[in-house]
């Protein structure tokens, strides 16, 4: 059972048209529309025709829904628009994007709420047990309560009555003479029953008997003798409004006259008596059709042209000099017949322009014109001959159908054996009405030309065969097309909806959709909670959905009789209702997923033959039991339970009681069906025990009870068919509380069946022997039942059957240990207290430990033998399995087979002690109870336990983070988990400094992890040497200081810390324990030399201004097997003229683009792919940011140094921070901007310029070409030091970067126009290609994710400077780009963003699946928004 507020989320995606997808919802649900990845950031409007509060429903009136942004921030990735669903029906939605009014759409169907009883209690749709009554058999209305009481006493709670209106001459239930008049048969002598009387009866059944009533509506046809159709023939298809029917009418009249002649004995001398008895008679009929009928009516003439008339017209055109008009179509058109819309004989024509184009005289002479006319005549005769040939084919088909019909109706043993040909039983059912005096065929055919007569020749309706008693109705497209018909049927609809809780749409698949739509809208205005049932014969679930979604059909009728064996019958139960047993517990807010139409599963429908005619009488009970166990509406037709051995025909019902047929059994089944539905037994499992025995389990996930029925079907009569004596035992897990009932069909000593001509009667010799609510030991069907251990902790009942004879059913009630449930509830409350003690480092261990991390502690990630090892743990796998209920997944198999995973999860944490050990102990206790439930339930309860623990741990996580995270979007929270994932305590820390400091602002400062950020900053401060931060620490022994950018990223982090953390500048006074107090000292133990952080910062700045130049310690292959000797020489200095930091050489790579060649074969070993020596643009930006910040700090008295002291040629010099700041500011754009002016005096290499309006990647590189390469590094400088850039220049450069470098997830690391660009990274490939071998192109094209963050932040900063319109467009771009990261993050089993992708966002197997800086910089963008 569903508890609490239920919310379903519809994700909208561009161009997703879901008109054939069914989305079912219940009243009281909230429906949210959210933007899918293809629409994120776009201006989308959602429209729906669900009425606004206080308004009436109008199918054609759509309103726009308002967006709700729960975070109230610019990051509106969580925004949604919502509907509170309170009104049943079908509603259409669509959404538009930009200029595209309809970028996608579909329908939702809201189920009605049915109420019965004096207290108006709800009758859930799955509780319905319906019984169909043929209303025409019920007699006077006063007698109905006695007759309908059978349904009540048999346990049904809904009655379906076939149409109650005046019937046509045929007395067929569905051929209605007057849709507005109650059938006079329902009136007793001297008292006329009215619709009000009918309404009173229906209301009595609803209030006093707790029974709902529905009836049929028939929109497709009316009785041929309906008085109103004579007065309004335009309401049908006649020869005036549908002239295409004329040839069919002519044939129909001809065959009718053939019938009359045969009936009158006029063909006896030709060997055709009125009684058809053999093939010779059939052949004679064929002969008469071909010799007499077809030649006389000449149907081909309706499609042919008048050759001479057209030739004459053509000749006149030629003689007058008329030429063909050149058409727009290329090539010659072929002459073809144009059908006469009025279907007159020889009324068709041809296109004269085509004739003039085709037959062109070589001169204007009479002979040339005559030749052309003859050519045209010949072609027209050919076309007429083609018509004749086509009609000959149709006549062949007609003859075959006529003969086939005669074989079935007159000769076949399974047919009705109609006897002699008469006017009442003609050769073929008439296809048209003929309300005039019978005359000769020739006289009939004259009426074709008299519209006042021809309008009364109305086409009959039909499906597969013609229904000669009904006229098909012609609605047109709208009420204005046939006002009387729409008005008449509207009254009929309103009348029906007024008195009945629901309707069955008769002949639904043939009723025009727009017609049914209109009248159901009318019905729902009268009765908003209208229950709509239909039976469809489309043969396609997709097509079924079109009807269900457009019409708001509540239940589709399905029939067990369609099953050929018990296996198929069981499959239908599984298909038409319920979740699988052991299905996962779904959250109350979850995606809206497509569903199949709600089923009304009947053992037999009223328009099909009785099962006893095709199966044995013994099968009625077990098949009914299988049907009743379906988790949907179920039902039957009156006569099934009484074992009536024929299709019910009009007559009165005989007397019945609980001993009649299977009524006693059906009462127990209906009672059980309603109990299971009302108490939430929503899960279903069907077990095909053997070829005849079907066990169906219904399970309640909230009470953990199950009911299992075992039915032994008897499709074949046990008298004549041998059924196995040995029935296989059954194993039922859990504790069997009782036998709900056991029943079997038995024969008794009564007279054999004789059909009663006055009333409907069933087989008297069969009844049901039933016992209810007995103990297992008292069962006569079960021989013995033993509790057996199955595995270490699961106990099952082994049931051995003794008298499970064909036609028997037994139902068991099974429960789990109730004490376990009580303890589970207590433990849940304890969990929240435990989780509150966890630190974020603990939560890292709890949720995000990969295999390598676990192995450091002597363990490893759990591996599933038939599948694969888990990434971190379990939640991402379960998140894939849960929504699909994929209980066959290897993961679920592993859980069912043993307790290994449970033990792994708990023991891993218990062994750690502390708060994590307490969580482990809690899980151990929970799993202790789980180990005692039936194994098929283990996956779902295991998932429920872990979801509870996981949700609680997430709450604990976010409570330890910043308000930005706590009140942020789902996207923000997912990214923030990257902070927990990436920051943990390891035994052998080996953090790469550049990556760490690029990630620190996003993962630590933005998320509020200030203490950890402070500790990281200070720890790295202690490693400073030569004025640099090491790129490899090597536990302090083998540290390497050969990267030029790490120190600047570290300094930027200190600045960010000071700016973002309350009292952040206090860090500047924090003591730093120096590992290397001097450049040459050995590693010192902590606490040997301490300095305040501001001194360490000043030292780093002073070293650069003085000039850093040294050779790495232990230079050679022992510390780097690829680097050449020159690469070990490290240099980092400040240019005294420009203030730019510069350094490096062409043999080392001192920035984040640090790929060193490794291939001997390609001769790139020891050569950096991207040395970026000189002044790298981001280092210049970072240094400018630091220098400016230090100036500001000094002015505030927070940094004690105003200047740097250096030595030049033995002289002591002072360089102020202010001076350094000014130099960078005044020189940056001069040296880095690539101007549009070819004569720019600042341009040192104008011959190398290939893109203008950009910023160089470096300045002063040893290979000048590298300066001019377009790369994604200058946006970093824009973010940290925007003051260096002119707004318009910056914006143009960013636009070029977007166009050239922006990929789906990352930034291309090199301009695709560059000759060495290669966007696919393959580190394993070793070939002769210098540019790609052994991944040499690591930073030469592959799309790295972290630079996207800086690019988008730069765009946002400068867009604001460009004005409101530009800023709004940029926000759209940012959201659109980030939406792709959101999707990747949600789908990633690593719950992270990758290091890089190959070109155009393609997966790169050599990329790290989850990288800190990728997550961090995206989080920073959202923070900036």
């Amino acid at each position: 059972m569903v508890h609490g507020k239920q919310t379903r989320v519809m994700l909208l995606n561009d161009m997703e048209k879901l008109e054939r997808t069914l989305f079912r919802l219940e009243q009281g649900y909230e429906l949210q529309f959210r933007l899918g990845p293809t629409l994120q950031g776009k201006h989308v409007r959602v429209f729906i025709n669900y009425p606004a509060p206080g308004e009436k429903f109008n199918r054609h009136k759509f309103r726009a829904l308002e967006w709700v942004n729960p975070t109230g921030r610019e990051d509106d990735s969580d925004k949604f628009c919502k509907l509170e669903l309170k009104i049943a029906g079908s509603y259409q939605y669509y959404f538009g994007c930009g200029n595209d009014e309809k970028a996608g759409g579909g329908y939702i169907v809201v189920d009605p709420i049915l109420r019965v009883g004096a207290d108006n209690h709800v009758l859930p749709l799955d509780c319905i047990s319906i019984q169909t009554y043929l209303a025409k058999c019920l007699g006077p209305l006063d007698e109905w309560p006695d007759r309908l009481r059978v349904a009540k006493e048999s346990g049904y709670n809904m009655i379906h009555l076939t149409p109650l209106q005046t019937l046509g001459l045929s007395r067929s239930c569905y051929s209605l003479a007057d849709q507005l008049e109650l059938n006079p048969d329902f009136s007793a002598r001297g008292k006329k029953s009215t619709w009000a009387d009918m309404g009173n009866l229906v209301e009595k059944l609803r209030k006093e008997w707790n029974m709902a009533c529905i009836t049929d509506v028939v929109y497709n046809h009316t009785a041929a003798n309906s008085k109103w159709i004579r007065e309004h023939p335009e309401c049908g298809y006649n020869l005036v409004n549908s002239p295409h029917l004329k040839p069919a009418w002519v044939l129909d009249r001809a065959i009718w006259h053939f019938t009359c002649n045969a009936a009158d004995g006029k063909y006896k001398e030709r060997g055709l008596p009125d009684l058809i008895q053999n093939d010779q008679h059939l052949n004679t009929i064929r002969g008469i059709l071909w010799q007499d009928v077809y030649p006389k009516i000449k149907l081909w003439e309706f499609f042919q042209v008048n050759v001479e008339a057209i030739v004459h017209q053509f000749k006149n055109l030629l003689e007058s000099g008329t030429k063909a008009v050149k058409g727009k179509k290329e090539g010659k058109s072929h002459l073809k017949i144009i059908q006469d819309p009025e279907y007159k004989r020889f009324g068709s024509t041809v296109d004269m322009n085509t004739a003039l184009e085709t037959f062109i005289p070589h001169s204007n002479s009479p002979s040339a014109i005559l030749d052309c006319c003859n050519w045209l005549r010949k072609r027209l005769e050919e076309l007429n001959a083609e018509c004749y040939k086509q009609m000959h084919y149709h006549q062949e088909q007609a003859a075959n159908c006529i003969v086939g019909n005669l074989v079935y109706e007159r000769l076949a043993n399974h047919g009705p054996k109609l006897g002699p040909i008469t006017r009442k039983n003609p050769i073929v059912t008439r296809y048209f009405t003929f309300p005039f005096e019978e005359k000769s065929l020739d006289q009939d055919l004259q009426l074709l030309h008299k519209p006042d007569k021809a309008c009364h020749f109305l086409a009959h309706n039909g499906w597969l065969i013609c229904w000669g008693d009904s006229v098909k109705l012609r609605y047109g497209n709208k009420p204005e097309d046939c006002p009387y018909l729409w008005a008449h049927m509207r009254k009929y609809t309103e009348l029906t909806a007024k008195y009945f809780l629901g309707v069955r749409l008769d002949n639904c698949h043939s009723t025009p959709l727009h017609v049914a739509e209109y009248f159901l809208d009318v019905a729902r205005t009268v009765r908003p909670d209208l229950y709509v049932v239909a039976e469809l014969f489309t043969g396609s679930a997709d097509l079924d959905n079109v009807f269900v979604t457009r019409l708001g059909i509540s239940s589709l009728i399905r029939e067990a009789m369609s099953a050929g064996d018990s296996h198929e019958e069981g499959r239908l139960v599984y298909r038409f209702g319920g979740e699988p047993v052991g299905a996962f517990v779904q959250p109350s807010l979850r995606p809206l997923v497509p569903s199949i139409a709600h089923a009304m599963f009947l053992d037999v429908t009223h328009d099909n033959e009785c099962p006893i005619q095709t199966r044995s009488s013994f099968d009625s009970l077990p098949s009914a039991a299988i049907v009743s166990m379906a988790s949907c509406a179920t039902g039957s037709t009156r006569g099934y339970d009484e074992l009536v051995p024929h299709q019910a025909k009009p007559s009165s019902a005989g007397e019945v009681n609980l001993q009649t047929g299977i009524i006693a059994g059906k009462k127990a089944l209906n009672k059980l069906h309603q109990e299971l539905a009302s108490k939430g037994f929503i899960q279903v499992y069907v077990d095909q025990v053997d070829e005849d025995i079907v066990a169906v389990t219904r399970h309640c996930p909230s009470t953990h009870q199950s009911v299992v029925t075992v039915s032994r079907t008897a499709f074949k009569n046990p008298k004549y068919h041998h059924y196995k004596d040995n029935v296989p035992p059954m194993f039922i897990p859990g504790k069997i509380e009782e036998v709900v009932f056991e029943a079997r069909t038995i024969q008794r000593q009564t007279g054999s069946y004789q059909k009663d001509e006055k009333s409907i009667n069933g087989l008297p010799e069969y009844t049901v022997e039933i016992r209810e609510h007995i103990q297992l030991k008292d069962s006569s069907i079960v021989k013995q039942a033993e509790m057996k251990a199955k595995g270490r902790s699961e106990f099952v009942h082994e049931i051995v059957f003794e008298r499970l004879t064909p036609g028997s059913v037994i139902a068991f009630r099974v429960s789990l240990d109730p004490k376990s449930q009580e303890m589970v509830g207590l433990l849940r409350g304890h969990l929240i207290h435990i989780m509150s003690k966890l630190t974020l480092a603990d939560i890292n261990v709890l949720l995000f430990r990969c295999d390598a991390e676990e192995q450091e502690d002597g363990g490893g990630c759990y591996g599933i033998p038939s599948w694969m090892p888990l990434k971190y743990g379990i939640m991402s796998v379960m998140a894939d399995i849960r929504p699909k209920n994929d209980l066959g997944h290897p993961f679920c198999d592993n859980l069912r087979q043993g307790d290994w995973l449970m033990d792994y999860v708990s023991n891993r944490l218990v062994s750690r002690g502390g708060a994590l050990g307490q969580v482990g102990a809690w899980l151990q206790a929970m799993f202790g109870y789980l180990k005692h439930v039936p194994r098929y339930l283990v996956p779902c309860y295991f998932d429920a336990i872990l979801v509870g623990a996981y949700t609680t741990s997430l709450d604990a996580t976010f409570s330890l983070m910043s308000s930005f995270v706590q009140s942020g979007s789902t996207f923000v929270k997912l990214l923030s988990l990257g902070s927990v994932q990436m920051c943990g305590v390891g035994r052998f820390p080996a953090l790469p400094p550049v990556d760490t400091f690029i990630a620190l602002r996003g993962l630590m400062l933005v998320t509020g992890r200030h203490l950890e950020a402070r500790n990281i900053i200070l720890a790295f401060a202690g490693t400073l040497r030569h004025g640099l931060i090491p790129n490899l620490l090597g536990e302090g022994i083998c540290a390497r200081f050969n990267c030029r950018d790490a120190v600047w990223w570290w300094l930027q982090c200190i600045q960010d810390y000071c700016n973002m953390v309350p009292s952040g500048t206090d860090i500047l006074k924090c003591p730093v324990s120096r590992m290397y107090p001097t450049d040459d000292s050995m590693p010192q133990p902590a606490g040997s030399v301490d300095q305040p952080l501001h001194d360490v910062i000043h030292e780093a700045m002073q070293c650069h201004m003085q000039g850093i130049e040294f050779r790495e310690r232990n230079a050679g292959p022992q510390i780097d097997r690829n680097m050449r000797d020159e690469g070990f020489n490290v240099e980092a200095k400040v240019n005294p003229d420009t203030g730019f930091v510069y350094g490096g050489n062409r043999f080392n790579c001192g920035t984040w683009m640090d790929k060193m060649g490794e291939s001997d074969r390609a001769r790139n070993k020891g050569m950096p792919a991207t040395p970026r020596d000189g002044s790298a643009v981001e280092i210049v930006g970072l240094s400018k940011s630091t220098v400016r910040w230090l100036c500001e700090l000094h002015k505030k008295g927070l940094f004690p140094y105003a200047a740097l002291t250096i030595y030049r040629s033995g002289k002591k010099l002072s360089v102020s921070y202010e001076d350094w700041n000014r130099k960078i500011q005044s020189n940056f754009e001069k040296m880095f901007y690539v101007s549009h002016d070819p004569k720019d005096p600042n341009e040192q290499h104008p011959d190398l310029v290939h893109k203008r309006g950009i910023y160089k990647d470096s300045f002063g590189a040893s290979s000048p070409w590298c300066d001019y390469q377009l790369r994604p590094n200058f946006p970093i400088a824009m973010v940290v030091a925007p003051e260096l850039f002119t707004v318009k220049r910056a914006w143009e450069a960013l636009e070029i970067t977007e166009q050239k470098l922006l990929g789906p997830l990352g930034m291309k690391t090199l301009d695709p126009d560059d000759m060495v660009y290669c966007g696919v990274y393959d580190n394993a490939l070793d070939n002769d290609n210098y540019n790609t071998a052994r991944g040499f192109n690591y930073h030469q094209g592959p799309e790295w994710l972290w630079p996207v963050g800086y690019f988008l932040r730069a765009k946002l900063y400068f867009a604001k400077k460009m004005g409101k319109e530009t800023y709004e467009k940029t926000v759209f771009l940012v959201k659109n780009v980030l939406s792709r990261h959101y999707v990747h993050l949600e789908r990633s089993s690593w719950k992270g963003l990758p290091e890089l992708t190959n070109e155009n966002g393609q997966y790169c197997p050599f990329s790290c699946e989850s990288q800190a800086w990728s997550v961090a910089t995206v989080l920073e963008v959202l923070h900036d928004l």
Side-chain angles (χ1 to χ4, degrees), residues 3 22 46 56 104 129 176-177 246 290 366 377 523 526 683 698 709 729 737 765 798 820 920 931 1036 1038 1191 1223:
H3 298 287
L22 172 59
V46 181
K56 289 185 176 179
S129 302
L176 310 183
K246 286 178 182 176
W290 284 107
R377 180 181 285 104
V526 177
Q683 298 182 347
R698 290 279 295 277
T709 60
E737 300 282 353
E765 64 266 39
E798 183 185 15
S820 296
K931 290 172 184 178
C1038 306
C1191 292
K1223 280 184 179 176

Side-chain angles (χ1 to χ4, degrees), residues 793-806:
S793 53
E794 186 191 6
F795 291 90
V796 299
H797 266 102
E798 183 185 15
I799 306 291
V800 179
F801 294 106
E802 184 173 35
R803 294 174 63 212
L804 190 68
T805 53

